[in-house]
Amino acid sequence: MIRLLTIEWYKLRHYRPFWVLIIMYAALSTLVCSSGMFLMAYLKGEGADFRGFDPTMLPLYDFPDVWHNMTYIAARLKIILAFIIIMSIFNEINHRTLRQNIIDGLSKKEWLGSKVLLMGAISLGAGLLLFVNGLILGLIYSHPEAYQYIFQRLDFIVAYCLDVFTYLSFAMMLALIFRKGGLVIVGLLMYSAMFEPFLAAFLYNFPPLPEYARAIPDFLPVQSLRNLIQVPFRRFLLMEIQEFIPLKTLLIALTWLTVYLRVSFWLLSKRDI
């Protein structure tokens, strides 16, 4: 394991796009997740009126709700991390690094394992960054009485790591299928942000469809991951929310993860590198 991670590190340590995307993700994740209170203060300064309620009083960063709130927001940025995997794979294909690795004695299974370990490291790093940001923001804004709940609902952090890892595996599979960097990046962006969300919204809300058809979006690749961490902010409107990770949704995500990894290995073993 250490050997394979070391190989990946030597490949990426001088690869500028890798560091640009890592820094971009870290900066955007920190900025977006920490800007909630500043946004509420701005709305208050502009005279926003929520039926006489001060928007800065919303408990965005109170423990333990901070973990649900921040993971939901940060999950929308994982496509930046997916670009790292796509560019890493195409960089190796274009520069014949993959072929050279195989010639030098690295098996295809080990090469794929090195990418899986890289995705795992990125996912854990993203989760750790989110945990640190949430801890700092919670200690700053949360009421002292809530400190006893700091480590409650950390399952959302675990679900976030699974969300990122599964999505990166999806990106890796697409990269191995199409082998066109620009096509995969644009296609992944459009599919994640446009095609599947519109399809899911149509199936969820189109009245004439039978009940079973409305369940289809729950099994789609991107929507199944979004269902892991559902919208938390309806609680501020006194609406019911899902404050746990459903077992059904977890199993669907794990099934997709298995499919992505198996298809990736099959492609790698059958295709000429």
Side-chain angles (χ1 to χ4, degrees):
M1 181 182 295
I2 300 299
R3 168 174 163 265
L4 295 179
L5 271 177
T6 302
I7 291 173
E8 285 301 311
W9 168 246
Y10 279 117
K11 291 177 184 176
L12 294 173
R13 62 177 180 170
H14 297 306
Y15 188 46
R16 183 174 296 178
F18 169 75
W19 292 109
V20 170
L21 290 170
I22 286 290
I23 293 172
M24 181 187 301
Y25 175 82
L28 280 176
S29 178
T30 301
L31 178 63
V32 171
C33 290
S34 62
S35 61
M37 202 56 68
F38 296 103
L39 176 61
M40 295 300 104
Y42 171 79
L43 292 175
K44 179 182 179 181
E46 292 296 311
D49 182 12
F50 296 93
R51 298 181 181 179
F53 183 78
D54 183 352
T56 60
M57 297 299 292
L58 290 175
L60 294 174
Y61 301 116
D62 276 15
F63 294 118
D65 294 341
V66 62
W67 307 122
H68 191 178
N69 297 340
M70 291 189 62
T71 51
Y72 175 79
I73 294 172
R76 273 59 196 162
L77 301 174
K78 62 181 177 284
I79 193 167
I80 298 175
L81 300 176
F83 291 162
I84 294 176
I85 301 302
I86 295 170
M87 295 177 67
S88 170
I89 291 174
F90 282 106
N91 185 54
E92 293 202 42
I93 292 175
N94 292 335
H95 292 90
R96 304 288 183 175
T97 309
L98 169 56
R99 176 173 293 184
Q100 189 61 48
N101 285 161
I102 303 302
I103 293 174
D104 292 340
L106 194 71
S107 69
K108 292 181 178 181
K109 186 175 181 180
E110 287 178 317
W111 182 87
L112 184 65
S114 69
K115 294 302 178 187
V116 171
L117 289 172
L118 172 63
M119 294 187 300
I122 291 174
S123 303
L124 290 175
L128 179 60
L129 173 66
L130 201 62
F131 174 77
V132 172
N133 285 338
L135 186 62
I136 293 173
L137 291 168
L139 291 174
I140 292 173
Y141 293 110
S142 188
H143 194 278
E145 292 180 358
Y147 290 173
Q148 60 183 311
Y149 305 115
I150 287 178
F151 298 108
Q152 289 189 10
R153 297 185 190 170
L154 285 180
D155 54 327
F156 281 105
I157 297 290
V158 177
Y160 172 73
C161 291
L162 174 62
D163 180 3
V164 173
F165 184 71
T166 305
Y167 192 74
L168 297 186
S169 301
F170 180 45
M172 178 179 70
M173 183 191 71
L174 293 179
L176 292 173
I177 290 175
F178 296 106
R179 295 192 174 193
K180 298 288 185 181
L183 174 65
V184 174
I185 289 175
V186 173
L188 182 64
L189 180 61
M190 293 186 64
Y191 180 82
S192 301
M194 296 177 59
F195 178 73
E196 190 178 304
F198 282 127
L199 175 61
F202 174 79
L203 292 175
Y204 277 140
N205 300 301
F206 194 67
L209 291 176
E211 192 64 30
Y212 70 85
R214 298 188 184 186
I216 291 176
D218 295 340
F219 296 90
L220 296 176
V222 174
Q223 187 62 37
S224 63
L225 295 180
R226 290 183 175 179
N227 289 341
L228 282 173
I229 306 172
Q230 297 194 8
V231 183
F233 305 116
R234 289 197 293 260
R235 67 161 62 93
F236 302 134
L237 300 175
L238 303 180
M239 298 173 64
E240 184 178 353
I241 65 167
Q242 183 174 281
E243 297 184 289
F244 60 93
I245 310 300
L247 179 59
K248 174 187 172 183
T249 304
L250 183 63
L251 291 175
I252 293 173
L254 290 173
T255 300
W256 275 118
L257 174 61
T258 303
V259 170
Y260 300 149
L261 295 179
R262 285 186 175 276
V263 171
S264 296
F265 180 70
W266 181 84
L267 289 167
L268 195 62
S269 61
K270 295 298 182 181
R271 281 188 170 181
D272 180 21
I273 59 172

